[in-house]
Amino acid sequence: MEMSTLKIHDAADAPSVNPLHTPQQHSIGKQLLDAGKLSPEDAERVLRFQKDNGLRFGEAALQLGLVTEQDIRQVLARQFDYPYLPSRNGEFSEHLVAAYQPYSRQVEELRALRSQLLLRWFESGHKTLAILSAHPGEGCSYLAANLAIVFSQLGEHTLLVDANLRAPEQHALFNLGQRLGLSDRLAGRADDDVVTRIPSFVDLSVLCAGTPPPNPQELLARDTFNSLIAKVGNSYDVVLFDAPPAALGSDALTIAARAEGVLLVVRKDHTRLNDLLALSGQLQALGVEIVGCVINEF
C-alpha cells in the first residue's frame, strides 16, 4: 500500500463525537497527544480546522502538516490491537519486517501463511510447530521470528522458542542479549522465568537458546524437553520452535518429533531438491507431519 493513497477510517472520530473525549479514550486525537505527536495547542488547531472543514480528526491533522501518515498508521494499528514500530527505531533487528513494515508484500505473504497454518494445523488442536531447513542460510530463523510476530498481532498467545542450541539467532533479532534460556532450563539450571515477554507486541514471548551447551543433542533428548513442550502447549495458543538446520546434526529431527509438525523452509536457487527429499523422508519415517513448505527468496 502506497502511503500517498492512505484513506483514514476511524469510527472513534465520527463527526458527532469529540475525538479527544471518547468513552474508551482510544481516539486518534488522544493517542497522538499521549505519544507526543501533538501538543494541546496543536490539538485545538486541529479541532477547529476539523469543524470548519467537515473532516475527521486524523485527516485534519494531516492537512495541517502536524503529523505524518506514518503517525496515523501507527495510531490506527494500536486502536485495532495491531502494533508495529517506526522504521529505524533500533529496538529490534531490521530483519523483523512484521514489526517495521506491516503493509509490505513480505508481510502480506506472512499473514497468508499464518492463515494457512491456522486452518491446517493449529485449529485442529495442535499447539506446537517446528520451523526447519536442510542447511544453514536458508532463512529459518527469519521466518520463525516474523511468523511469531504476526501470530501475536492476531491476538494469539504466542511463544517463540529458539531451539537452535548450536547457532542461535533469536536473541540477536529481538535484541535480548546473552541470557539464560532453553539449554539452561533443560539442564535444570533455570526455571520458567527464563521466558521473556516482548511488550512491544500484543502477546509475544521468546525463550532464547541460552548458554551454549557442549551436548545439545543429549539435552534435547531428555524427558525434560517433553515435559517443557507439554507445559508450554497448555500455556500458549501457538508455540513455534526455531530448529537448527538438519545438516548440523540430529537435533532438528529430535525437535521435529517432539513438536509433531514441521514447516519446511527452502531457499530459492540455493536448496537442493535431493536434500529436501531426503529430509522429508526422514521426517515421515519418524511420523512427523509436514504441514507445508515455504520458499524464501533473498
Side-chain angles (χ1 to χ4, degrees):
M1 181 183 296
E2 296 293 329
M3 295 293 284
S4 60
T5 63
L6 176 66
K7 179 65 175 177
I8 301 166
H9 295 286
D10 182 14
D13 287 337
S16 61
V17 178
N18 186 325
L20 300 183
H21 297 90
T22 60
Q24 295 79 17
Q25 292 295 294
H26 289 317
S27 69
I28 280 184
K30 183 179 185 302
Q31 291 198 47
L32 289 171
L33 278 169
D34 291 345
K37 301 295 184 180
L38 288 178
S39 67
E41 293 78 13
D42 289 337
E44 291 296 329
R45 286 181 58 199
V46 176
L47 287 169
R48 289 195 296 270
F49 190 75
Q50 174 191 18
K51 181 178 180 180
D52 292 343
N53 294 276
L55 300 172
R56 300 179 188 273
F57 187 90
E59 292 171 325
L62 279 172
Q63 288 194 24
L64 289 171
L66 297 173
V67 297
T68 66
E69 290 183 346
Q70 177 77 358
D71 295 331
I72 299 297
R73 283 187 188 275
Q74 287 190 290
V75 167
L76 289 173
R78 285 194 294 271
Q79 285 186 327
F80 290 93
D81 290 329
Y82 184 64
Y84 65 96
L85 305 176
S87 59
R88 298 183 297 279
N89 84 329
E91 185 175 358
F92 304 116
S93 167
E94 62 182 13
H95 295 300
L96 299 184
V97 293
Y100 293 113
Q101 303 173 40
Y103 304 105
S104 65
R105 179 181 62 84
Q106 297 100 312
V107 181
E108 289 293 342
E109 292 174 352
L110 282 165
R111 285 193 283 265
L113 175 59
R114 176 188 64 191
S115 297
Q116 291 292 323
L117 291 174
L118 283 170
L119 292 172
R120 296 185 180 186
W121 187 248
F122 292 107
E123 288 192 356
S124 61
H126 299 286
K127 296 291 189 73
T128 57
L129 182 69
I131 316 295
L132 176 61
S133 63
H135 296 282
E138 294 178 328
C140 189
S141 296
Y142 161 88
L143 180 66
N146 282 285
L147 261 183
I149 292 172
V150 296
F151 271 112
S152 167
Q153 289 170 333
L154 189 62
E156 299 290 327
H157 191 34
T158 305
L159 175 65
L160 172 62
V161 180
D162 194 341
N164 187 346
L165 303 184
R166 299 176 185 269
E169 294 189 38
Q170 298 302 335
H171 68 285
L173 290 172
F174 286 92
N175 195 25
L176 296 174
Q178 296 291 342
R179 60 179 64 200
L180 299 181
L182 176 62
S183 64
D184 305 281
R185 175 69 172 76
L186 297 180
R189 300 177 58 245
D191 297 319
D192 293 340
D193 58 5
V194 291
V195 174
T196 302
R197 177 82 168 81
I198 310 295
S200 296
F201 303 103
V202 176
D203 204 344
L204 175 62
S205 298
V206 175
L207 176 54
C208 294
T211 307
N215 57 338
Q217 170 58 31
E218 288 75 16
L219 278 180
L220 293 167
R222 292 181 180 180
D223 289 339
T224 49
F225 190 36
N226 274 335
S227 300
L228 177 63
I229 290 177
K231 187 169 187 177
V232 298
N234 289 328
S235 302
Y236 293 88
D237 300 319
V238 172
V239 181
L240 301 178
F241 290 91
D242 178 10
L248 296 185
S250 57
D251 309 10
L253 297 179
T254 300
I255 296 164
R258 299 286 195 270
E260 298 182 342
V262 165
L263 178 66
L264 291 176
V265 181
V266 300
R267 182 176 173 184
K268 186 178 179 181
D269 300 326
H270 185 273
T271 305
R272 295 180 181 273
L273 179 59
N274 288 341
D275 294 337
L276 180 61
L277 292 175
L279 177 56
S280 299
Q282 290 176 304
L283 293 169
Q284 290 170 351
L286 291 171
V288 178
E289 183 172 346
I290 300 174
V291 182
C293 184
V294 174
I295 300 176
N296 263 333
E297 296 183 22
F298 61 93

